[in-house]
Amino acid sequence: MSRRLPWGAMARMTGRRALAAVPVLLGVTLAVFAVAAASPFDPVKAYAGTAGLTASQENLDQLRANLGADRPWLTRWWEWLGRAVTGDLGDSSVMRQPVADVIAERVGWSALLAATAFLLAVTLGTALGVLAGRRRGGLLDRAVSSAAYTLEAAPAFWLGLLAIWFFALKLGALPAGGLTDTASETVTAGQVAHHLVLPALVLGISQLPWFFLYVRQGVGDALEEDPVRGARARGLGERTVLTGHALRSGMLPMLTLIGSRVPELITGALLVETVFSWPGIAAATVQAAVSVDFPLLAALTVLATAAVLLGNLLSDLLYGLADPRVGFDG
Amino acid sequence: MAARTVRRATAAILTGAVALTAAACSHPGNGAAGSGGPKDSAVVGIAYEPDTLSPLLGYGKDGNSKIFDGLLAFDADLKLRPALAAALPTVSADGLTYTYKLRPGVKFSDGKPFTAKDVVFTYRTVLDPKTNNPSRTELDALEDVRAVGDDTVVFTLKYPYAPFAERTVLAIAPEHVAGRQDVNNGPFTTKPIGTGPYVLTGWSKGEKLTFQANPNYWGGAPAVKKFTMAVIKDDDVRATRLRAGDLDGAILPPNLAANFKTDKTKKTYAATTYDYRTVTLPTHNEVTGDTAVRRALDLAVDRQAMVDKILEGAGKPAYGPVPTGSPWFAKGTERRHDLAGARKILDEAGWKPGPDGIRVKNGVRAAFPLWYLSGDKLRQDHALAYASDAKKAGVEITTQAGTWEVIEPRMKTDAVLAGGGSPGDPDFDQYLLLKSALAGDGFNNMAWYDNKAVDRALEEGRRTDDPAQRRAAYDTVQRELVKNPGYTFLTHIDHLYVVADRWTTDAGDLTTQTEPHDHGLASGPWWNVEDWKPKGSGATAK
């Protein structure tokens, strides 16, 4: 593994992908505006909430004009784009504050939660997958595999409720929700870490089966391939066989998986954030969607798309590194 | 945090220092709340989060905000009492001018004095069409507001509007802060500054709002120094966290509240409400537009069964928007469940049972659709029970679920299971629900109800200040609703709260106000948290 990294090729691929991302992002925002405009939700009703039920038509019409909801979506998209390019993301109608503030307040907490959960899922999933793949049909394999299939079927929010019931209610060991102690006003690292455990665990565990099953399969198959048999025949130690041969090719499918799991991670985070009252971006996304809050929705979609594109880039880079035959985009 | 003046920064630091000292004195432990936590802090779980904390956009319009005060406020019995005003207003003989003297010496939590300018600013901004305030219609009667000196405010009305004083519970915003930024999206909408008993110290959207007692509150510093509202949308999670001791109190649906009955450390409070569920009977539908059908349905429905089965006892039968327990309720307008009477009315009106048991008149089947908001279990249960009761009288109702986007275009001819209710003046609900001129205006008068006698009585009720005349007017409305019900009112729903039994007030046990349809932030037993005292430790001087 002591060869030099192909920095040049990697940078060229990153650059090509960044260029390709521009039309993708443009198309996605255009689609978001179109879909939102076609949706049956009415931004004025969403804005007014229960007050809208007693508001006069005149009041509602005035709101529609103030919010710009009476203009064609294509015009609104063009104006939004023009301002977004200059760094002005507009104002969120549903949050009553600038979009940039909404995102700045929340995205960090979502990223922290998702990154912790992802790390947990990848490391734990890989470790268990290697152990199970080494001895397929063994006790550990059977136990973890059946648990993994069960987990794959379990919705994240249900796991969340279960975790709250067990760890917070039965054991009283961990807080049931929030970013900090409910009564606390300041955000300290210790408190956040303490409160992060359950939601990250739940989100991580809900992602874990995918990594576990892929690695288990990959390692198991690799151990039966010719190079491994050859290595074994040459009398190489089991450890060398595993790390040097089986792991290398066995891990390849998982690298692709890392990129493709990002969207799942985002949707999973949504449910987990709701159950644990985690002040992340996920809840804002749903609110923006059902309230047809164009500026917020567009900004969040750009963020999510960028996350997916980055995830794919990352997995392709890793793949290229792990298997030089694949290379970096030709 | 944007740049602030030195004075404001100093004030903020001082407030913070006081708060810290208070917190330090009262927090020997690690600050964990819950049943065993410090006695001068309270944490409650709420289901809904406000969109904004700016009074200019509609927050605190019904009074009782913890951060702001209105000129007037409601007490537990919804009687008006002075707040930022020194006394109740003086009203001119023609009912068109309301004059308020302001309470002297009141300061905003940033240390700046509160004056008549702030009142004028608040009302004018709300009335400004550029302000995105969806509740502006409530101030429709208001023509102009002006300051006379620093301590007097004069309101001029377009037409005599008896309940106007009850609209002046509207929270007052500081002009020197809110007047200098974008009203609709400025920082004030999330970082408000008011004159109220509590100062907002943090709002983590989707998680919680934290408050610190305002040590300089004009009504005296509250004994509960720290107050937290945790936003927990899921009913089960809220109940779980209440049981775990993470919350001191929470709003719960009846079935989950029932689980706490045996818990000796917690008390359940049932707040009576104006929160009604009703079926609109559109005038423009040839079945529901027939007075005989309306009256028959009014008798065929078994309201008590709905209260017992659907609400598990936590509610009351409703015969109109006015709850039976309200002093404005017209005694004698209660309708008994009378299936035989309902059938008789339909028989006499010429609705004869057809071969399938459904009545027919002149080739029209006694059948109509009833819409309810999808996902709302309570409304669904009400709709199904209503349809089943109607069936027994020979009227076929098809229940259908939909979002408001689907329902709204059909409201003119299709029945809807609607909810609503605002306490206070009888004008608030009845005018919007029943006035024929408001038919189809937004969600007002959804049933397109059209009754000249009711129209007249509604106008009389709002234009006179004489209590006897007003009572007579609203009695007329309620009696007309018996003769020609444009809606079938079903129930008024109690809101249930479970709270740790650790507090008391000078007046005795904790209380609840009569509550509106929507759960305001300060609904529930904590409507007067500033008056709470820890139990047993000897009441501290307020």
Side-chain angles (χ1 to χ4, degrees), chain A:
Chain A
M1 291 290 249
S2 59
R3 68 200 161 82
R4 286 189 43 194
L5 289 173
W7 289 116
M10 286 165 70
R12 276 194 299 281
M13 177 159 112
T14 309
R16 275 197 300 275
R17 292 288 182 89
L19 275 182
V22 173
V24 170
L25 289 174
L26 272 183
V28 165
T29 59
L30 185 68
V32 162
F33 271 74
V35 169
S39 84
F41 296 115
D42 180 358
V44 176
K45 289 228 177 58
Y47 184 92
T50 42
L53 297 180
T54 51
S56 67
Q57 195 59 48
E58 185 194 354
N59 196 173
L60 293 174
D61 291 345
Q62 180 72 48
L63 261 181
R64 190 174 298 279
N66 287 2
L67 296 174
D70 51 347
R71 290 176 311 150
W73 65 270
L74 204 60
T75 320
R76 303 193 66 194
W77 174 74
W78 185 246
E79 283 173 8
W80 174 83
L81 193 67
R83 271 190 314 224
V85 170
T86 67
D88 174 10
L89 294 175
D91 293 317
S92 159
S93 63
V94 67
M95 300 287 169
R96 273 78 159 165
Q97 63 186 132
V99 168
D101 289 3
V102 177
I103 293 176
E105 275 171 19
R106 294 166 176 250
V107 76
W109 300 126
S110 282
L112 179 68
L113 172 63
T116 315
F118 204 53
L119 211 64
L120 186 84
V122 172
T123 49
L124 207 61
T126 310
L128 286 172
V130 171
L131 289 177
R134 263 176 77 183
R135 208 156 295 136
R136 280 203 279 193
L139 188 65
L140 179 94
D141 180 30
R142 276 181 294 159
V144 181
S145 293
S146 50
Y149 283 119
T150 315
L151 276 177
E152 228 176 291
F157 78 90
W158 181 76
L159 285 179
L161 287 177
L162 207 65
I164 290 180
W165 172 77
F166 187 71
F167 291 102
L169 196 59
K170 284 279 155 202
L171 300 183
L174 288 163
L179 183 64
T180 53
D181 286 343
T182 320
S184 156
E185 282 157 27
T186 47
V187 179
T188 60
Q191 284 215 354
V192 173
H194 194 214
H195 281 74
L196 179 64
V197 175
L198 270 193
L201 200 68
V202 168
L203 185 57
I205 295 280
S206 72
Q207 298 294 314
L208 187 140
W210 299 88
F211 295 103
F212 165 77
L213 293 170
Y214 264 71
V215 172
R216 171 184 171 275
Q217 187 74 31
V219 169
D221 289 351
L223 282 173
E224 283 160 16
E225 279 169 10
D226 288 343
V228 171
R229 281 204 219 123
R232 280 210 177 112
R234 289 202 305 277
L236 290 178
E238 190 64 21
R239 178 181 291 260
T240 323
V241 169
L242 192 71
T243 53
H245 295 84
L247 212 52
R248 196 108 179 233
S249 60
M251 293 281 285
L252 284 179
M254 201 203 78
L255 296 180
T256 324
L257 192 65
I258 288 182
S260 64
R261 291 313 294 172
V262 172
E264 288 283 332
L265 193 68
I266 294 173
T267 47
L270 166 68
L271 298 169
V272 172
E273 283 186 6
T274 310
V275 172
F276 288 95
S277 301
W278 190 257
I281 203 86
T285 311
V286 176
Q287 251 179 306
V290 298
S291 313
V292 202
D293 185 348
F294 283 105
L296 182 58
L297 195 58
L300 291 177
T301 318
V302 168
L303 262 185
T305 315
V308 172
L309 292 175
L310 270 175
N312 282 330
L313 174 67
L314 184 73
S315 67
D316 288 350
L317 284 174
L318 289 174
Y319 207 107
L321 284 177
D323 189 349
R325 286 171 301 176
V326 176
F328 301 98
D329 276 2

Side-chain angles (χ1 to χ4, degrees), chain B residues 96-117:
Chain B
L96 287 173
T97 313
Y98 282 65
T99 309
Y100 291 78
K101 275 271 178 221
L102 303 188
R103 187 181 292 274
V106 176
K107 285 186 163 57
F108 285 101
S109 60
D110 64 357
K112 290 273 177 74
F114 154 79
T115 71
K117 267 176 32 207

Side-chain angles (χ1 to χ4, degrees), chain B residues 407-453:
Chain B
I407 298 171
E408 196 193 356
R410 303 166 204 261
M411 288 188 323
K412 191 175 175 183
T413 53
D414 291 6
V416 180
L417 204 126
S422 31
D425 199 88
D427 175 81
F428 294 169
D429 276 326
Q430 301 187 35
Y431 195 85
L432 299 178
L433 262 172
L434 301 170
K435 181 79 179 165
S436 62
L438 294 180
D441 177 77
F443 281 86
N444 295 323
N445 193 355
M446 281 166 76
W448 297 64
Y449 189 68
D450 191 351
N451 182 332
K452 293 287 165 287

Side-chain angles (χ1 to χ4, degrees), chain B residues 57-336:
Chain B
L57 299 181
Y59 170 69
K61 72 184 175 66
D62 298 320
N64 197 15
S65 150
K66 295 296 115 192
I67 310 164
F68 296 95
D69 296 299
L71 290 173
L72 305 180
F74 288 116
D75 67 8
D77 302 321
L78 294 185
K79 292 254 178 347
L80 285 172
R81 58 182 166 81
L84 287 180
L88 295 179
T90 50
V91 186
S92 65
D94 61 2
L96 287 173
T97 313
Y98 282 65
T99 309
Y100 291 78
K101 275 271 178 221
L102 303 188
R103 187 181 292 274
V106 176
K107 285 186 163 57
F108 285 101
S109 60
D110 64 357
K112 290 273 177 74
F114 154 79
T115 71
K117 267 176 32 207
D118 298 302
V119 179
V120 174
F121 162 75
T122 300
Y123 281 87
R124 288 206 174 142
T125 310
V126 171
L127 288 180
D128 183 353
K130 289 201 183 61
T131 305
N132 294 342
N133 186 322
S135 309
R136 183 177 306 122
T137 319
E138 294 186 352
L139 291 178
D140 182 57
L142 185 55
E143 170 81 42
D144 186 35
V145 49
R146 63 196 161 85
V148 179
D150 268 357
D151 65 345
T152 306
V153 179
V154 180
F155 293 88
T156 321
L157 305 192
K158 290 180 209 156
Y159 49 84
Y161 185 56
F164 180 72
E166 294 177 58
R167 291 298 188 207
T168 56
V169 299
L170 180 87
I172 301 298
E175 182 181 24
H176 67 274
V177 181
R180 290 183 189 163
Q181 44 177 271
D182 179 353
V183 178
N184 295 321
N185 302 299
F188 184 71
T189 62
T190 48
K191 297 188 179 73
I193 287 162
T195 56
Y198 285 88
V199 178
L200 183 83
T201 48
W203 182 12
S204 167
K205 281 195 184 173
E207 190 202 356
K208 67 187 169 191
L209 299 107
T210 49
F211 302 90
Q212 193 77 253
N214 178 357
N216 304 315
Y217 183 51
W218 55 267
V224 173
K225 297 293 176 208
K226 283 176 60 176
F227 185 58
T228 306
M229 291 174 163
V231 182
I232 306 158
K233 293 202 175 72
D234 190 281
D235 292 335
D236 291 299
V237 176
R238 217 176 314 118
T240 303
R241 286 178 62 174
L242 179 63
R243 190 168 289 279
D246 189 28
L247 304 176
D248 297 307
I251 179 162
L252 292 175
N255 58 337
L256 289 174
N259 296 339
F260 289 90
K261 271 197 186 123
T262 52
D263 189 337
K264 289 271 182 294
T265 65
K266 297 198 171 57
K267 268 189 166 175
T268 302
Y269 298 85
T272 54
T273 71
Y274 269 57
D275 188 1
Y276 60 74
R277 292 295 176 274
T278 187
V279 175
T280 67
L281 300 173
T283 302
H284 293 280
N285 179 306
E286 47 189 349
V287 178
T288 58
D290 185 329
T291 311
V293 174
R294 297 172 174 207
R295 285 182 52 219
L297 288 171
D298 210 28
L299 296 182
V301 65
D302 189 351
R303 299 174 168 93
Q304 192 58 48
M306 293 185 181
V307 171
D308 295 341
K309 304 246 170 63
I310 301 174
L311 303 179
E312 306 199 22
K316 286 178 193 63
Y319 304 99
V322 184
T324 46
S326 161
W328 289 99
F329 182 72
K331 290 266 182 314
T333 58
E334 297 94 338
R335 272 83 87 190
R336 290 233 327 274

Side-chain angles (χ1 to χ4, degrees), chain B residues 5 13 208 261 345 540:
Chain B
T5 63
I13 291 166
K208 67 187 169 191
K261 271 197 186 123
I345 292 173
T540 41

